[in-house]
Amino acid sequence: MVMFQHGGNVYSAAEAAGCHVDEIIDLSSNVSPFTPDALLKGLNIRSIVSRLPEPHSRTLTNAVAQLHDLPSENFLAGSGTTEFIHRICEIYAEKRAVIVQPTYVDYMKHAQLTGMTVTDCIMSEKKKFAFDDNELLQCLPDADVCFICNPNNPTGVLVGKDELRFIADMFKKTMFVVDESYIDFCVDRNPTLIGCTLSNIIVLRSFSKAYGIPGLRAGYAFSQNKHLLGELKSSMSPWNINTLAQEVCLKAVKLDISAYMRQLRQIKANTLGRLAQNENLRIIPGETNYILMKLMKSDAPSFCEYMLNHRILVRNCSNFVGLSDKYIRIAVKEQVHMDTFCRLAEVYFRIFA
């Protein structure tokens, strides 16, 4: 379904552009371009892939718990956040969900697939999609689940953990699913709710984005709600994380990636400085490694087609609830690729605006 399409489909993009996938500059997927060499260094790939995965990835679960200095019984490993989203929706099938919009399309997708009644809590475009707790409070009565992406995709808006914790404490019968897939890109990582003592919060984390390993599909969940974690575990395949993914992630939890994050922030600052000079673009301020923009004198399909003709894949955001076909999103990649995008955007508006 078109509504649930993601970014990062370099395969169809390459087919449309008539080139190899490696020739596509993918700005549509919010993944760090800096995959640390240390993650693969010294791995005996033949040995790793020749054995069955460890059931429920206990070693990785323990390593994640040690990273956060919390008991391992509060964590569960999974094949990316999407697996958790799907399983949570199965557990709450045919119940009521609130989704803070615009946001990651898979919350809606899996809620609908499991027969949930969905209420969209749409943040205001006039307020640059800033989090509005009053708006959310009006949507929450009778909700069984509430999905919040923090920091949010595609807006980059970050909500303070104390604010989220206060809301969750007010609605103890609602399970708050807080997706922190992009929190590593924030300057201050303290906003995480990992360690929160409330039993109606489950936090989702991803290895894909900050470590640049989306092809391995790995993530984890934290919650004080051991019953929910038990239900999730029983519904998941014991081999949901493959052996290579586990070994790479075991290296990731020990790796300091702060230098990569600083480099990305500098590239983003450089890019924002140049984009701000383009009067045909309105930048939505955000805290992450991607930039949401409104096209003032064009539409997303036309702009994205133009970019793809130059082998650059940009995220058309028209399928996000609360966004029109005027919105696009780009991820921060190597400086040379960001410069290419900015130059082509300038050329595009000189021609078509």
Side-chain angles (χ1 to χ4, degrees):
M1 297 175 64
V2 174
M3 181 180 178
F4 300 123
Q5 286 182 348
H6 297 160
N9 192 345
V10 293
Y11 304 98
S12 63
E15 183 178 1
C19 65
H20 189 272
V21 291
D22 292 336
E23 297 178 80
I24 296 291
I25 299 174
D26 183 13
L27 304 186
S28 71
S29 179
N30 303 329
V31 173
S32 170
F34 306 125
T35 305
D37 293 336
L39 293 181
L40 297 175
K41 187 176 180 180
L43 292 181
N44 186 335
I45 303 297
R46 180 183 295 273
S47 173
I48 291 170
V49 301
S50 68
R51 60 178 182 263
L52 287 169
E54 178 184 20
H56 300 296
S57 300
R58 289 181 59 191
T59 302
L60 178 58
T61 302
N62 291 337
V64 166
Q66 186 174 2
L67 172 69
H68 293 286
D69 194 24
L70 291 165
S72 61
E73 62 191 15
N74 294 119
F75 291 89
L76 184 63
S79 57
T81 54
T82 300
E83 180 179 28
F84 289 113
I85 295 164
H86 174 64
R87 299 300 182 185
I88 289 169
C89 287
E90 285 187 330
I91 291 171
Y92 287 92
E94 300 184 5
K95 294 189 177 181
R96 299 177 61 86
V98 169
I99 303 176
V100 179
Q101 302 277 14
T103 195
Y104 182 47
V105 296
D106 271 16
Y107 310 138
M108 175 71 77
K109 174 183 177 180
H110 292 289
Q112 290 186 353
L113 286 174
T114 54
M116 300 183 77
T117 300
V118 176
T119 298
D120 292 315
C121 182
I122 303 176
M123 299 297 105
S124 171
E125 180 181 21
K126 292 181 180 179
K127 298 178 181 178
K128 299 181 180 179
F129 306 105
F131 182 75
D132 187 336
D133 54 356
N134 289 324
E135 191 72 31
L136 180 58
L137 292 176
Q138 293 179 43
C139 297
L140 283 174
D142 301 320
D144 297 292
V145 185
C146 177
F147 289 96
I148 301 176
C149 189
N150 194 45
N152 188 40
N153 169 26
T155 62
V157 171
L158 178 68
V159 187
K161 64 179 179 183
D162 291 339
E163 187 171 4
L164 291 179
R165 188 165 46 200
F166 178 78
I167 294 171
D169 196 34
M170 288 179 63
F171 293 88
K172 291 184 173 65
K173 293 183 179 180
T174 302
M175 178 58 64
F176 289 81
V177 183
V178 182
D179 186 346
E180 294 185 348
S181 290
Y182 299 100
I183 207 161
D184 291 299
F185 296 102
C186 298
V187 175
D188 181 1
R189 293 176 62 181
N190 286 333
T192 181
L193 278 168
I194 289 181
C196 176
T197 57
L198 295 178
S199 62
N200 63 325
I201 289 178
I202 181 167
V203 181
L204 310 184
R205 296 291 286 267
S206 169
F207 285 105
S208 298
K209 281 71 176 181
Y211 296 95
I213 51 173
L216 292 181
R217 311 309 305 147
Y220 58 94
F222 163 85
S223 183
Q224 297 286 356
N225 193 317
K226 295 173 187 175
H227 176 74
L228 176 60
L229 290 178
E231 283 192 282
L232 287 170
K233 186 175 181 179
S234 65
S235 71
M236 298 160 73
S237 166
W239 294 339
N240 58 343
I241 297 184
N242 67 67
T243 51
L244 181 58
Q246 172 157 305
E247 292 300 325
V248 171
C249 291
L250 284 171
K251 285 176 169 283
V253 296
K254 299 176 182 178
L255 197 62
D256 180 7
I257 57 172
S258 57
Y260 297 109
M261 298 299 104
R262 285 194 297 271
Q263 188 174 355
L264 279 174
R265 285 193 289 272
Q266 184 58 59
I267 295 172
K268 181 181 180 181
N270 296 341
T271 304
L272 286 173
R274 186 164 176 181
L275 292 173
Q277 300 173 29
N278 193 327
E279 62 182 12
N280 299 292
L281 297 170
R282 193 182 81 181
I283 309 300
I284 307 302
E287 303 290 330
T288 52
N289 64 318
Y290 43 89
I291 303 168
L292 180 66
M293 292 174 276
K294 186 174 185 179
L295 305 171
M296 304 308 293
K297 295 183 180 180
S298 184
D299 59 81
S302 300
F303 184 87
C304 292
E305 181 181 7
Y306 170 82
M307 285 292 173
L308 188 54
N309 288 337
H310 292 82
R311 299 182 178 181
I312 296 180
L313 185 57
V314 173
R315 180 66 159 93
N316 177 346
C317 292
S318 58
N319 72 324
F320 284 93
V321 173
L323 296 184
S324 70
D325 66 355
K326 293 288 187 179
Y327 281 92
I328 60 168
R329 188 198 66 205
I330 59 171
V332 178
K333 304 291 183 177
E334 294 93 334
Q335 186 69 66
V336 63
H337 296 326
M338 307 311 293
D339 291 342
T340 300
F341 171 83
C342 291
R343 176 178 56 81
L344 287 172
E346 291 162 3
V347 172
Y348 175 86
F349 286 112
R350 280 201 298 269
I351 298 172
F352 298 106

